[in-house]
Amino acid sequence: MTSATGLSIVILVVSAICLLRWRAGIARRCQPEERPEHRITVDTRLGRVLTSWNQGVDVDSDPNSDSNSDSLCFPLGDARESFLSRIGLVQFADRTIDAQYYLFHDDESGRALLGTLIEAAERGVRVRLLLDDIDLKGRDALLARLATDIENLEIRVFNPLYLRHARVLDFVLRFPRSSRRMHNKSLTVDSTACIVGGRNIGDEYFGVDARISFTDYDMLAAGRVAEEVVAQFEDYWYGGLSLDCARVARPAAHERYQTWLQETRQSAQRFVEEASDTETLPPHQFIEQRLDANRCDTEVLCDPPEKVLSRLFDTDESLAPKIMELMLSARETLLISSPYLIPGRWGMELFRTLRERGVDVTVLTNSFAANDVLAVHAGYIDYRQQMVELGISLHEFKPDIDPQRRHLKLLGSRRSSLHAKTFIIDRERLFVGSFNLDPRSAIHNTEMGIVFDNAALASRLHGSLTDRLEEIAYHLSLDKHQQLQWGDRSNADAPVTHQTEPNTTGWQRAGVYLMTWLPVEWLL
């Protein structure tokens, strides 16, 4: 092949890529819609209960009450309870349901929740389901048919890929637009009550998958906070980056659709019956005004949807600086749970500043054996010795929490992987959301979370977690040679110290070490 021929091929390939990006840019152009006036009414079951609850506040007799607080909140640490609470909350919907998720699997729990949303739409509730495209391969046609067939049900796809049948190629050729995803997670009913946190919708998040359980954390909240969650939802819904599912994919064939729809309804029925029979379910207790909820001042923090269009390292208008500012406000203690931890330069500057001020910083993240994304672990190991040297109390989550010792609901059972994204500031304020301390959350994906300002709640959760750190995680420290070691104090009578990462082989450690040579930290 002559040099001229080779140059012609290169020009042809580059031209084809440019043409693809241009055509995709037109097809996926950001065209914001006019947002209708959003009217919030208390004339719903949840609204009437909230009004009655607010009118019945007795600050003197209720230590969890604060007459000036704008929202009620209740923690959902137990996986099964968190899922059934979503089912129960949807059942109480009278007018609207707004659901926004990064992952919404087509498994038992995913079909069950979708089935309850379908049932709500069929009884006249307006249901809006906003999904990221990352999890829709092979299902977009089914959802397009569903949205067409079910009145009152709207399904939109955020930042949809252009090459529907060549998704990997789309990620490569349309980088970085295609790789920037909506990581937000929320479910809001009647603009009155919502569930927000780190859980996606899938069996592994709700204890349905027996092989692995993601240990996560959500919050049930009601009041003004739900209105703010709906406001950020509508930023994404009407912002021009979310397309109707029927515009993204051709509706599925009748036979395939009907079989899938029947299975979806059957899954929903099983969980609806379980939720209805669970008298202690938080939404039921809320309706009956016997939920032991906390009153909190709240603040919803979120990335703008346009983040996926911004320059890669332009974070001025994003959530990351707000998270950093919030953490820097710590005066005495900062407790962080982040399953994916790659502090980077800004994170290490944050830790260094806090330690210089004498703030006690405790960090919980996944160990090698508990981490489900080994590339992220490769990015993390470059920082852990620096963190320990700064005096940070660093802990790595074990993958095999004993199910008989799960009295702290923030922590899971089975073979576990940490997935909770929370931090507690001075035992006074608590952040719950989707934000990891890594470049993907800071630079690439859109994120959201809520700050709950309630000292009783924050202090209780702080104590519950720190009391069990020795049981559920390895504590990292330096030996006399200034090398990392992993302390296991789960058995106080026979503590164990590991000189290498627990539950790993030499080949595994070598493989992760080789991955640290790749210049891809900014992608992780």
Side-chain angles (χ1 to χ4, degrees):
M1 183 174 63
T2 66
S3 58
T5 303
L7 180 59
S8 298
I9 293 175
V10 170
I11 293 175
L12 182 62
V13 170
V14 171
S15 299
I17 293 174
C18 291
L19 179 62
L20 170 65
R21 294 174 68 94
W22 176 73
R23 287 180 57 86
I26 292 177
R28 301 294 187 255
R29 180 181 297 166
C30 181
Q31 296 177 316
E33 302 175 43
E34 182 178 350
R35 183 185 304 198
E37 182 180 354
H38 184 69
R39 295 182 179 179
I40 299 173
T41 176
V42 297
D43 189 22
T44 62
R45 281 175 289 181
L46 291 171
R48 289 190 291 271
V49 167
L50 182 63
T51 298
S52 176
W53 202 312
N54 289 336
Q55 292 173 345
V57 172
D58 184 347
V59 179
D60 294 328
S61 63
D62 185 356
N64 291 332
S65 293
D66 181 345
S67 59
N68 295 318
S69 296
D70 55 43
S71 303
L72 292 166
C73 60
F74 184 84
L76 299 173
D78 182 79
R80 192 77 170 191
E81 180 182 73
S82 183
F83 181 64
L84 293 178
S85 291
R86 286 168 167 82
I87 298 291
L89 193 60
V90 167
Q91 288 182 289
F92 288 127
D94 287 332
R95 297 200 174 187
T96 62
I97 299 173
D98 299 313
Q100 180 180 16
Y101 284 100
Y102 171 63
L103 300 178
F104 200 116
H105 292 337
D106 188 32
D107 53 17
E108 189 172 359
S109 57
R111 291 186 179 187
L113 183 56
L114 182 60
T116 61
L117 295 177
I118 294 171
E119 185 276 332
E122 290 175 333
R123 58 182 167 85
V125 177
R126 184 193 182 191
V127 178
R128 296 185 294 184
L129 178 58
L130 178 57
L131 302 175
D132 188 83
D133 199 15
I134 195 73
D135 194 37
L136 298 186
K137 181 180 181 181
R139 287 192 298 140
D140 47 6
L142 291 168
L143 295 174
R145 178 68 182 269
L146 181 67
T148 301
D149 281 10
I150 304 296
E151 189 176 358
N152 300 316
L153 174 63
E154 300 173 76
I155 303 176
R156 291 191 177 185
V157 181
F158 182 80
N159 192 20
L161 302 179
Y162 182 68
L163 300 177
R164 305 305 298 171
H165 302 291
R167 296 167 70 90
V168 174
L169 192 60
D170 196 292
F171 279 110
V172 173
L173 299 181
R174 297 182 59 232
F175 180 85
R177 167 82 179 262
S178 295
S179 68
R180 306 181 81 174
R181 310 314 314 169
M182 180 190 73
H183 200 230
N184 311 37
K185 315 167 203 317
S186 69
L187 173 69
T188 309
V189 172
D190 290 332
S191 298
T192 302
C194 63
I195 296 177
V196 172
R199 289 185 175 97
N200 295 296
I201 305 301
D203 289 349
E204 63 269 36
Y205 300 97
F206 299 113
V208 179
D209 190 334
R211 296 166 298 176
I212 186 169
S213 175
F214 282 119
T215 297
D216 219 320
Y217 196 73
D218 294 321
M219 194 76 78
L220 169 65
R224 187 175 65 84
V225 62
E227 300 173 20
E228 293 184 1
V229 171
V230 170
Q232 73 83 34
F233 172 91
E234 294 195 331
D235 287 342
Y236 284 76
W237 187 264
Y238 293 113
L241 288 164
S242 301
L243 298 183
D244 288 336
C245 200
R247 286 184 56 191
V248 173
R250 181 179 301 174
H254 178 78
E255 184 176 350
R256 178 193 175 202
Y257 169 72
Q258 288 298 329
T259 300
W260 171 80
L261 182 60
Q262 182 179 2
E263 293 172 351
T264 297
R265 293 185 186 276
Q266 291 173 349
S267 294
Q269 186 60 36
R270 289 193 294 271
F271 283 98
V272 165
E273 292 175 357
E274 182 178 354
S276 299
D277 293 339
T278 307
E279 295 182 0
T280 59
L281 203 63
H284 295 170
Q285 293 184 322
F286 174 75
I287 285 289
E288 297 168 5
Q289 298 187 54
R290 56 188 178 88
L291 183 67
D292 186 22
N294 293 87
R295 287 194 171 273
C296 305
D297 287 329
T298 58
E299 182 182 7
V300 175
L301 302 177
C302 60
D303 279 309
E306 296 80 16
K307 180 180 179 180
V308 302
L309 301 177
S310 65
R311 291 177 297 177
L312 258 184
F313 298 98
D314 182 7
T315 60
D316 291 343
E317 302 299 322
S318 71
L319 180 57
K322 300 174 185 176
I323 294 292
M324 189 170 184
E325 180 181 357
L326 193 60
M327 289 184 173
L328 282 171
S329 70
R331 303 182 307 275
E332 297 178 359
T333 62
L334 176 63
L335 174 60
I336 300 172
S337 170
S338 181
Y340 310 126
L341 178 64
I342 305 177
R345 180 176 56 83
W346 71 272
M348 293 307 298
E349 290 177 357
L350 166 73
F351 290 144
R352 192 170 294 108
T353 300
L354 290 171
R355 292 298 299 140
E356 288 173 353
R357 295 200 333 241
V359 177
D360 290 330
V361 180
T362 302
V363 177
L364 175 64
T365 191
N366 275 310
S367 64
F368 177 96
N371 204 320
D372 65 320
V373 184
L374 295 186
V376 173
H377 192 75
Y380 154 67
I381 64 176
D382 285 338
Y383 294 99
R384 58 186 175 190
Q385 178 146 348
Q386 299 177 53
M387 294 171 66
V388 173
E389 290 172 347
L390 282 175
I392 292 172
S393 182
L394 181 59
H395 302 261
E396 293 184 355
F397 191 74
K398 298 176 184 176
D400 52 357
I401 304 302
D402 186 347
Q404 300 300 318
R405 304 160 80 180
R406 59 191 297 255
H407 46 273
L408 174 58
K409 291 186 177 181
L410 176 57
L411 304 165
S413 60
R414 298 187 179 91
R415 184 185 182 278
S416 295
S417 179
L418 180 70
H419 200 258
K421 307 159 187 66
T422 66
F423 55 87
I424 303 171
I425 302 167
D426 293 328
R427 299 183 178 89
E428 295 176 352
R429 290 173 292 163
L430 169 71
F431 173 88
V432 178
S434 65
F435 191 92
N436 288 294
L437 292 183
D438 65 5
R440 178 141 293 277
S441 284
I443 299 171
H444 298 271
N445 293 343
T446 67
E447 307 286 354
M448 71 169 295
I450 302 175
V451 180
F452 297 90
D453 192 345
N454 182 288
L457 174 64
S459 181
R460 183 167 68 249
L461 293 175
H462 186 284
S464 297
L465 181 54
T466 54
D467 287 347
R468 285 200 61 201
L469 277 177
E470 289 189 349
E471 177 186 347
I472 56 95
Y474 304 108
H475 181 222
L476 275 67
S477 61
L478 300 178
D479 62 18
K480 61 182 180 180
H481 302 294
Q482 298 301 297
Q483 299 298 312
L484 284 174
Q485 57 185 5
W486 288 256
D488 184 351
R489 303 293 185 268
S490 54
N491 185 345
D493 297 328
V496 176
T497 300
H498 302 272
Q499 299 303 322
T500 58
E501 290 193 68
N503 303 306
T504 64
T505 66
W507 285 109
Q508 289 173 325
R509 293 193 296 274
V512 171
Y513 176 71
L514 289 175
M515 292 178 69
T516 65
W517 294 0
L518 300 176
V520 295
E521 179 182 307
W522 59 282
L523 286 171
L524 301 177

